[in-house]
Amino acid sequence: MTTTQMSNGRTAAADRELVVDVQNVSRKFVVGGEDIWAVRDVSLQVTRGEFVALIGRSGSGKTTLLNLIAGLDSPTSGHVTIDGENITEYSERQLTQLRRHRVGFVFQSFGLLPLLSAYENVELSLRIAGAGIRERRRRADELLEAVGLGGRARHRPYELSGGEQQRVAIARALANSPALILADEPTGELDSTTAVSIFRLLHDLVVEQGVTIITTTHDRTVMELVPRVEEMRDGHLLEPDEQELFRYTVREERSRFAAELPSDVQEEVSAVQSHGADFAPTVEERIAAERAAHPEISEAQARHVFGADLPAEQTAVNGAEESATDESWSPEIPEADEPTDEDASFAPPEGVERPVWARPRQD
C-alpha cells in the first residue's frame, strides 16, 4: 500500500476508495453588505471506513463544511465529490436522492418526530425511500436491536433518555445503508458517560460495517479516541503543526467527573497513539508557562517549582539571583481586608426606611 502519513493521522491512500473529496471549497455569505467567508479554500479527502472529527471554536466553519459535503448548501467556489460524483453540479432532485439513499444524518438535538415511536421514526426513513412494508419492518427492527433499543421500539421520544434518543437517531441514519454518515455534535447534549457509549456505537459501525463517518465536535472524548482529527480556524483547515486547540485540549488534565474511557477502544483508536505524538506538556513548557504567569521570578526559581533545578555549577554561572534553592522567594499574595462590623450590617442605606413587615413591633 502506498500511503502518505501525516503527524495528525491525515492520510492519502492510493489503493483505498475515496468517499469524500473536497477540493478548494469556499463559501461566502453576504451579511449587511459585508462579505463573510465561513469556509476558505478547504481541501479534504476521506476514504471508506474512516472516522474523522472536525473540531474548532464556534464560528470556525465546521458545520458549514458539513452542510457543503451533505449537499445542504452550495459552495461559492470549488467542488465536492461523493463516491466519485461531483455533487456541486447536481440538481435539487439529485441532491434529494443523494440525501435519501447515500448519506445519513445525526443531529445534536436528535431531530426525532415527537409523536412517532422509536420504531416509526426509523421506519419513516425507509418509507420515504420507497421500501416495501416487509422490508421496512425487518430493517427497523434489526436496526433498533443493533443500537440496543429492541425493547424500547414502541416508546415515543419523550419516554426515552437523551442517550436512547440519540441511538434512535443513529438507527434512523443507518436505515438506508448509507456509505457516509454526517454527525453534527452527536454528543453535545449528552453527559460524559452516555457520550462514551454513543461514541462506541459509532466506532463499531466504522469497524464492523465499513461506514464512513465525519463528525463535528467539542467533546474531548471524541477528540481523544477518533483516529483522525481535523481542526478548523476562521474557515481554514489547519495543517497538523497548527492544531493548537487539539493539542491543548488533550494536554489538559481530565475532569474527575468525566466518564472513564473504555480501555479496549482507547487502545485501538487512541488519537495520541495513532499519531505517534506526545501531547503531555514537557518540563520546559511548564517552566515557560510559570514564568509567563509570574514575570517577576527567575528561570531557576521556576525550575525549582517543578523539581528541575539546574546543576550547581550552571546555577553559579547564572548568578546568585538565579539560585534554584532560593526558598525565601514566594509570589506576593495580597492580604484580604479584615471584615468590619459595618460590612456585616444589614441596616438599610441612609434615608431609606425599612419595609413595614421588617420594622420592629411596637408594644
Side-chain angles (χ1 to χ4, degrees), residues 195-342:
V196 168
S197 69
I198 292 299
F199 166 79
R200 293 200 63 168
L201 177 59
L202 293 173
H203 167 251
D204 290 344
L205 292 174
V206 172
V207 173
E208 297 171 6
Q209 301 185 26
V211 177
T212 301
I213 299 178
I214 304 177
T215 180
T216 63
T217 188
H218 288 99
D219 193 326
R220 172 177 175 157
T221 300
V222 178
M223 292 185 204
E224 288 179 322
L225 298 181
V226 296
R228 177 178 172 189
V229 176
E230 299 287 355
E231 184 173 338
M232 295 191 70
R233 183 197 303 154
D234 299 328
H236 295 281
L237 198 65
L238 302 183
E239 292 298 323
D241 57 353
E242 300 174 319
Q243 293 189 354
E244 296 179 358
L245 178 61
F246 174 52
R247 291 177 178 272
Y248 283 107
T249 297
V250 298
R251 280 177 173 175
E252 289 293 321
E253 184 178 355
R254 291 186 64 84
S255 167
R256 59 193 179 94
F257 300 107
E260 184 177 354
L261 301 180
S263 58
D264 57 332
V265 177
Q266 186 177 22
E267 290 174 1
E268 184 176 354
V269 297
S270 168
V272 175
Q273 293 174 5
S274 65
H275 299 170
D278 179 13
F279 292 111
T282 64
V283 172
E284 297 300 325
E285 289 174 328
R286 290 178 181 271
I287 291 170
E290 184 72 11
R291 295 197 69 189
H294 301 284
E296 68 276 12
I297 71 174
S298 66
E299 179 182 353
Q301 290 167 332
R303 285 181 174 277
H304 185 59
V305 171
F306 297 103
D309 298 333
L310 292 170
E313 59 273 14
Q314 188 173 347
T315 302
V317 171
N318 289 348
E321 72 281 0
E322 293 287 326
S323 174
T325 57
D326 182 9
E327 297 184 3
S328 63
W329 173 87
S330 61
E332 295 183 6
I333 302 175
E335 296 183 359
D337 296 332
E338 290 293 329
T340 63
D341 292 340
E342 183 178 351

